[in-house]
Amino acid sequence: MRTARIGLRVSPGQRRRCFALLVAAGDVWACVLDMNRWRRQRGLRPIVGYQALCRELSAAGPGTVGELDSVGARSVLRRYSDAWFATAKRRKDGETAARYPRRKRRLMPVRYYHGTFTLDGRRLRLPVGRGCASLWVRLARPVPYEAGQVRSVTLVAEGGRLFVDVTAEIPITTYPPDQEPDPHRVAGVDPGVIHPFAVAGPDGEGLVVSGRAIRAETHLHLRDTKHRQRAIARRAPKPGQAGSRRWRKQRARQRKIEARHKRRVRQAQHEAARQVIDWATARRIGTLVVGDPRGVLALKTGRRHNQRIQAWRIGHLLKCLTDKAEQAGIDLALVDERGTSSTCPACHRRVPKPANRNFTRCGFSGHRDLVGGANIARRGPGGTITTNMFPVVITHRRAGRHLPGAGRSRRDPRRSLHHGTAPGVPWPAVARPTPRGESLAHHSEDQPISPPPRGKR
């Protein structure tokens, strides 16, 4: 099952109707919370089963949730029931921090299953209540799946924008004879912040995916948020003004910027996972042993490192890799990665963790993340690096080429021109002339380029 998020192109009237459906779904969610809270106060058992909740919805009668039809309302009830039973299972396993659904939401996603909606090319008809006009919306891009593979569509809102999550059931990739992934060929994957994935594979080959563009986007977003808060500090609404027009406008602006940043990071992480799977498929790697660092995320290591870990989004990163590996027919196993980046691959002894990206020990020198990947591969189910214990041929890839500043100039278009550049002079500036009077920039003899004048700060 794969899901693709597609934007919607709607008119003002269609936009109001779509948000009305999401608001009605939020009312259904709030109604279930209030009902179970009332029953708990009176010593009654909560109603959490899907069928029991559907009976309560039928007893409420038609027309109680606006244009939202019974299919959309039941999807909200299904979400509540699944969340309640999942929490009950976690608490039964000993996780006392798990909490039952308790928070109300103004907007709730609405899911429509196969047979209740109509998908005609880039046009989608969403079901509405009886007696309401049909609601047709237009997709911003074609659906990447065949019409017969689509199983459900989900109407969601993020940062004031409308999207549709199209879920399809697609077959596992098939390969020609003698080209399918071999389960005995194992590779270790070390996830990280600077490098989302560092893969140590068999035959002395490795892959390093750089995520510096993702980190630059995160740093820039954090810096812009701080500057924006200082700029609007005087006119920002006071805590007592929550719910005012000024407060709603500020919150809408914040949600829009946060949603844009999350979309950029998610897309870059999908690209990084796709590069790993393509690299593994080309080398017939059938098993990926991935280090799971989520066991140490709860440790308090200072505000800077805590902020870095929070912006890492390791859960989504591992989910992207798991989904794409499953589609490609590659087995994936999660193991504890503790100590893998500080263990020598030659003598297998723990050493102080190197401060930089180079690991040097026992006459051996190599990339620290690849050392971690090689050690992770040995922790897998019967897996070991076959030929060499450390990659010799290393392939470098970069994720997030769509991010601002990831191009050749490394310049973010959202930033203003440098204070030393004169107005009207393009950036980057032309190379200054050498002492001999010749410019280092490539230009023709007929059109010499003079250095730009120095601007004022």
Side-chain angles (χ1 to χ4, degrees):
M1 306 296 293
R2 299 299 302 274
T3 301
R5 175 161 293 186
I6 305 176
L8 295 182
R9 295 180 178 178
V10 294
S11 63
Q14 294 172 343
R15 178 182 175 86
R16 287 193 296 269
R17 296 185 65 185
C18 290
F19 273 101
L21 294 177
L22 298 175
V23 171
D27 294 341
V28 175
W29 179 271
C31 181
V32 177
L33 294 179
D34 290 340
M35 178 185 64
N36 284 331
R37 184 180 297 110
W38 175 84
R39 295 179 63 88
R40 185 174 63 253
Q41 292 174 355
R42 284 155 179 80
L44 302 177
R45 298 185 61 181
I47 301 177
V48 296
Y50 174 68
Q51 296 180 352
L53 292 174
C54 290
R55 286 193 294 267
E56 295 292 332
L57 178 65
S58 300
T64 57
V65 287
E67 290 191 358
L68 186 67
D69 65 336
S70 60
V71 176
R74 289 175 181 175
S75 69
V76 180
L77 301 181
R78 170 73 71 179
R79 184 184 296 269
Y80 176 85
S81 179
D82 293 344
W84 197 94
F85 283 106
T87 304
K89 184 178 182 302
R90 292 169 57 188
R91 294 179 66 89
K92 184 178 179 181
D93 295 339
E95 189 175 349
T96 58
R99 302 293 298 273
Y100 291 101
R102 65 191 187 281
R103 292 187 177 181
K104 297 182 181 180
R105 302 179 183 178
R106 181 175 177 268
L107 304 177
M108 281 293 297
V110 185
R111 176 171 297 178
Y112 301 100
Y113 298 96
H114 180 72
T116 60
F117 60 89
T118 303
L119 185 60
D120 184 12
R122 294 176 61 175
R123 298 179 69 237
L124 173 65
R125 183 187 64 84
L126 298 176
V128 293
R130 182 178 301 177
C132 302
S134 301
L135 179 57
W136 285 86
V137 294
R138 185 173 180 82
L139 304 181
R141 61 185 177 93
V143 179
Y145 313 116
E146 298 180 2
Q149 298 177 346
V150 179
R151 294 294 176 263
S152 67
V153 296
T154 306
L155 179 64
V156 297
E158 185 182 46
R161 297 178 58 182
L162 292 171
F163 297 90
V164 170
D165 289 344
V166 182
T167 304
E169 183 180 5
I170 59 178
I172 298 178
T173 307
T174 58
Y175 302 90
D178 298 334
Q179 295 185 11
E180 66 278 0
D182 185 4
H184 298 287
R185 293 178 61 85
V186 183
V189 183
D190 182 19
V193 177
I194 298 180
H195 300 100
F197 297 109
V199 188
D203 303 332
E205 293 185 287
L207 171 68
V208 176
V209 181
S210 175
R212 296 184 183 274
I214 305 176
R215 190 177 62 164
E217 163 66 21
T218 303
H219 289 180
L220 182 61
H221 172 72
L222 180 60
R223 183 187 304 174
D224 289 348
T225 302
K226 293 180 179 179
H227 290 177
R228 195 179 303 108
Q229 291 176 353
R230 286 195 294 264
I232 66 175
R234 294 183 178 179
R235 62 178 185 273
K238 302 300 184 294
Q241 295 177 319
S244 63
R245 184 171 180 268
R246 179 186 298 180
W247 182 82
R248 290 196 302 267
K249 291 178 63 176
Q250 182 186 11
R251 287 296 300 152
R253 178 62 177 171
Q254 292 175 351
R255 291 191 183 99
K256 181 179 179 181
I257 296 175
E258 288 290 338
R260 180 181 61 185
H261 168 67
K262 290 180 180 179
R263 288 195 301 269
R264 288 175 172 175
V265 175
R266 283 200 302 261
Q267 178 65 23
Q269 291 182 344
H270 276 289
E271 293 179 4
R274 171 53 56 190
Q275 292 172 355
V276 173
I277 297 302
D278 292 343
W279 182 86
T281 303
R283 288 153 182 81
R284 298 187 59 196
I285 296 176
T287 303
L288 290 178
V289 183
V290 185
D292 189 0
R294 289 176 292 185
V296 298
L297 297 185
L299 301 179
K300 301 301 181 181
T301 55
R303 62 183 184 90
R304 291 184 179 273
H305 189 67
N306 292 340
Q307 176 67 30
R308 188 183 301 114
I309 293 300
Q310 182 181 5
W312 188 9
R313 306 181 188 276
I314 181 59
H316 182 264
L317 188 66
L318 295 179
K319 185 175 182 295
C320 294
L321 186 63
T322 303
D323 294 343
K324 290 175 173 54
E326 182 180 359
Q327 180 185 359
I330 299 176
D331 298 332
L332 189 142
L334 293 177
V335 297
D336 185 15
E337 71 161 12
R338 184 176 182 85
T340 54
S341 297
S342 57
T343 302
C344 179
C347 61
H348 306 291
R349 294 181 180 179
R350 292 287 299 273
V351 297
K353 187 175 181 178
N356 51 21
R357 315 310 299 181
N358 296 325
F359 186 98
T360 304
R361 171 78 175 182
C362 301
F364 164 82
S365 178
H367 199 285
R368 188 185 72 185
D369 295 340
L370 289 178
V371 170
N375 292 326
I376 289 174
R378 296 187 178 92
R379 296 187 178 185
T384 180
I385 302 299
T386 56
T387 304
N388 297 326
M389 61 183 177
F390 185 80
V392 178
V393 180
I394 302 175
T395 304
H396 292 268
R397 292 291 181 267
R398 179 180 297 174
R401 293 185 178 271
H402 64 284
L403 297 177
R408 180 179 58 182
S409 62
R410 307 294 297 176
R411 179 71 174 180
D412 194 320
R414 291 179 292 175
R415 314 303 290 175
S416 59
L417 295 176
H418 192 265
H419 59 79
T421 305
V425 178
W427 194 96
V430 183
R432 295 184 178 181
T434 59
R436 296 183 180 180
E438 299 178 356
S439 176
L440 298 178
H442 177 72
H443 63 275
S444 61
E445 297 291 338
D446 298 335
Q447 297 179 356
I449 301 177
S450 58
R454 185 181 299 274
K456 297 181 180 180
R457 184 171 181 177

